[in-house]
Amino acid sequence: MEGNVKSGAAPGTAGTPKAVGIVWACLALNTLGSAGAKTVVPLPRSLIQMVTMGALVTAFALALALNPRLRFRPSAFLFLLTLLLVPSLISSVQPDVGFGALFRCARLTLFIGTLWLLSRWWDGSLTFVRYHIRMYFAVLVLVAAGLVVSPGTAMPEYYGQRLVGALWPLTPPQIGQYAAVIIGLTVLLLLGRRTTGAGAVVVIVPSLVLLAMTHTRTATLGLLIGLVLAIGSLILTSAAARRFFAWAVVCAAVCAVVFSSALRAWFLRGQSQENFANLTGRAKVWDALLAAPRTVGEEVFGMGLGDKSFDGLPIDNSWLAVYDEQGLVGVTIVAAMVIVLGGVALLRPPSLPRACAIFLISYCALSSYTEVGLGDASAYLLHLALAVSLLAAPAEATPPPPAVETPRRRIPRWARR
């Protein structure tokens, strides 16, 4: 995307060191996780954790080297995210929780610290959007390579022949999330004339194919609803957005009529109506989690950072996962983060960075119902951090100090003659 994106970004882009992109890529690499599908060459989980944690340590060290004077941009989002460490630590230091919770707290602390160090270069430009697209498009290229190398491993039976990572352990929801996010951001860049049509096609078309192969309903709905809200914020100021929105409505209506049966079959994924109604068994896990007995301390501060599961089953809901691990205090802080971001986005004047931020915020808010990640270091927090960088006001140039007039030396009259 770098060669296809126009360089006319907001002020401050030229002052961002190129190494900042490496830091952002390392943060994204850390959020890929270590658990997922079976790969062509079995990778030990310890090796994957070493790579992902090494990427986080590298990101923090490099960000510290780039910002040695510790200059930060004020951010309510980062303040609330830092405040989330309080219930995380309180619940994780309990003796019966285990060392894993403290390790996850340390990981979250490094993740937040790196974001603070990067906030110096958050100026409302599209610089970090380009970093985001490049990194996750590289991940999708790796997924596509695994599909070519071993189609059977990439679309296994135990996942209902949904696309998984065959070279790196990635689940269908992860791949669908990455594809949906870069599709939405690239569409908005195209509408804002910040990329060429050829460059957009190179990113959008393969990503759409991979998204369809994952059969991920949450990512698909998040992409569609997020784009509707983002493009809707540009309708009053952009003729290209109005044309795109009109054509999208017409095409969606035609597809809904012509391909209704195929779309319904894809959406159901071969499930029964009953299984679809309880969200593929998620509702049963949610009911059991809410009905489990808890002490007052566990109700308020949670039970410590874990693997986002309950009785060995995935929770698959960000709000319930935060409630389980960080209690009601954590839920309140995460809700404040989302509300603050949404409020700031609504108060900003219409612009392309604002539209990208609205897309990311709405996508994360919708996905939080069936995905986890808002309370721990994850791709969803990285999406929201990107939205914060887009909503940040450009830093004002520091005016030069006023020139001090040197008093003129008085020359005696005889010397003038």
Side-chain angles (χ1 to χ4, degrees), residues 354-413:
R354 174 188 183 239
C356 292
I358 289 175
F359 168 76
L360 292 167
I361 296 168
S362 57
Y363 180 89
C364 293
L366 189 143
S367 300
S368 66
Y369 186 65
T370 56
E371 298 291 338
V372 296
L374 290 184
D376 205 348
S378 67
Y380 287 104
L381 281 188
L382 202 59
H383 300 333
L384 292 180
L386 176 59
V388 176
S389 75
L390 292 166
L391 296 174
E396 297 181 359
T398 304
V404 179
E405 294 186 1
T406 305
R408 297 180 62 183
R409 184 178 179 183
R410 186 176 179 277
I411 301 175
R413 185 175 297 179

Side-chain angles (χ1 to χ4, degrees), residues 78-158:
L78 289 181
F79 171 76
L80 291 171
L81 194 56
T82 306
L83 194 61
L84 188 63
L85 288 172
V86 175
S88 303
L89 288 171
I90 291 176
S91 59
S92 298
V93 295
Q94 301 176 16
D96 57 340
V97 173
F99 177 75
L102 291 176
F103 177 81
R104 292 181 176 93
C105 282
R107 173 176 176 247
L108 180 58
T109 303
L110 279 179
F111 189 87
I112 297 173
T114 306
L115 292 179
W116 271 113
L117 292 170
L118 292 180
S119 67
R120 174 185 177 182
W121 294 282
W122 292 354
D123 55 6
S125 69
L126 298 172
T127 304
F128 285 87
V129 172
R130 300 185 186 102
Y131 297 155
H132 217 64
I133 294 175
R134 291 171 195 159
M135 174 58 195
Y136 285 118
F137 185 70
V139 174
L140 294 184
V141 170
L142 186 65
V143 172
L147 178 62
V148 173
V149 171
S150 180
T153 306
M155 302 192 71
E157 291 289 343
Y158 59 85

Side-chain angles (χ1 to χ4, degrees), residues 30-87:
N30 175 256
T31 62
L32 295 183
S34 59
K38 297 178 181 178
T39 55
V40 176
V41 178
L43 299 175
R45 187 173 181 181
S46 58
L47 175 63
I48 299 174
Q49 289 177 334
M50 187 183 302
V51 172
T52 54
M53 282 304 301
L56 180 59
V57 173
T58 301
F60 180 79
L62 184 55
L64 189 59
L66 292 171
N67 190 4
R69 296 186 179 181
L70 305 181
R71 295 178 179 175
F72 309 130
R73 287 292 300 269
S75 171
F77 171 81
L78 289 181
F79 171 76
L80 291 171
L81 194 56
T82 306
L83 194 61
L84 188 63
L85 288 172
V86 175

Side-chain angles (χ1 to χ4, degrees), residues 32-394:
L32 295 183
S34 59
K38 297 178 181 178
T39 55
V40 176
V41 178
L43 299 175
R45 187 173 181 181
S46 58
L47 175 63
I48 299 174
Q49 289 177 334
M50 187 183 302
V51 172
T52 54
M53 282 304 301
L56 180 59
V57 173
T58 301
F60 180 79
L62 184 55
L64 189 59
L66 292 171
N67 190 4
R69 296 186 179 181
L70 305 181
R71 295 178 179 175
F72 309 130
R73 287 292 300 269
S75 171
F77 171 81
L78 289 181
F79 171 76
L80 291 171
L81 194 56
T82 306
L83 194 61
L84 188 63
L85 288 172
V86 175
S88 303
L89 288 171
I90 291 176
S91 59
S92 298
V93 295
Q94 301 176 16
D96 57 340
V97 173
F99 177 75
L102 291 176
F103 177 81
R104 292 181 176 93
C105 282
R107 173 176 176 247
L108 180 58
T109 303
L110 279 179
F111 189 87
I112 297 173
T114 306
L115 292 179
W116 271 113
L117 292 170
L118 292 180
S119 67
R120 174 185 177 182
W121 294 282
W122 292 354
D123 55 6
S125 69
L126 298 172
T127 304
F128 285 87
V129 172
R130 300 185 186 102
Y131 297 155
H132 217 64
I133 294 175
R134 291 171 195 159
M135 174 58 195
Y136 285 118
F137 185 70
V139 174
L140 294 184
V141 170
L142 186 65
V143 172
L147 178 62
V148 173
V149 171
S150 180
T153 306
M155 302 192 71
E157 291 289 343
Y158 59 85
Y159 263 116
Q161 292 188 334
R162 299 169 63 192
L163 181 63
V164 301
L167 300 180
W168 184 276
L170 297 172
T171 61
Q174 283 181 282
I175 300 172
Q177 176 198 161
Y178 305 151
V181 167
I182 68 172
I183 289 170
L185 292 176
T186 306
V187 167
L188 293 174
L189 288 182
L190 182 61
L191 290 179
R193 298 180 180 179
R194 298 300 179 91
T195 184
T196 61
V201 168
V202 169
V203 174
I204 293 174
V205 173
S207 302
L208 274 175
V209 173
L210 296 180
L211 175 60
M213 296 178 71
T214 61
H215 282 249
T216 307
R217 295 174 293 215
T218 301
T220 304
L221 288 176
L223 170 63
L224 296 176
I225 296 175
L227 276 180
V228 168
L229 296 176
I231 297 174
S233 69
L234 293 172
I235 284 181
L236 296 178
T237 58
S238 172
R242 290 192 291 270
R243 289 194 298 268
F244 182 88
F245 190 81
W247 278 107
V249 171
V250 172
C251 294
V254 172
C255 291
V257 174
V258 178
F259 305 105
S260 59
S261 58
L263 291 173
R264 184 174 181 273
W266 181 89
F267 203 77
L268 288 176
R269 295 198 310 232
Q271 298 173 344
S272 63
Q273 291 288 348
E274 180 182 358
N275 196 20
F276 177 74
N278 61 27
L279 299 173
T280 322
R282 290 186 178 96
K284 297 179 180 179
V285 179
W286 299 347
D287 293 339
L289 187 150
L290 292 173
R294 295 172 183 269
T295 63
V296 176
E298 292 171 345
E299 188 84 15
V300 176
F301 297 109
M303 305 180 70
L305 294 183
D307 58 357
K308 313 299 179 287
S309 65
F310 181 77
D311 285 343
L313 298 173
I315 297 176
D316 286 341
N317 182 288
S318 284
W319 303 101
L320 291 179
V322 172
Y323 167 72
D324 183 56
E325 296 182 354
Q326 291 137 315
L328 294 176
V329 174
V331 173
T332 303
I333 295 174
V334 172
M337 284 164 37
V338 177
I339 293 172
V340 166
L341 274 180
V344 172
L346 292 176
L347 294 176
R348 288 285 187 269
S351 65
L352 180 58
R354 174 188 183 239
C356 292
I358 289 175
F359 168 76
L360 292 167
I361 296 168
S362 57
Y363 180 89
C364 293
L366 189 143
S367 300
S368 66
Y369 186 65
T370 56
E371 298 291 338
V372 296
L374 290 184
D376 205 348
S378 67
Y380 287 104
L381 281 188
L382 202 59
H383 300 333
L384 292 180
L386 176 59
V388 176
S389 75
L390 292 166
L391 296 174

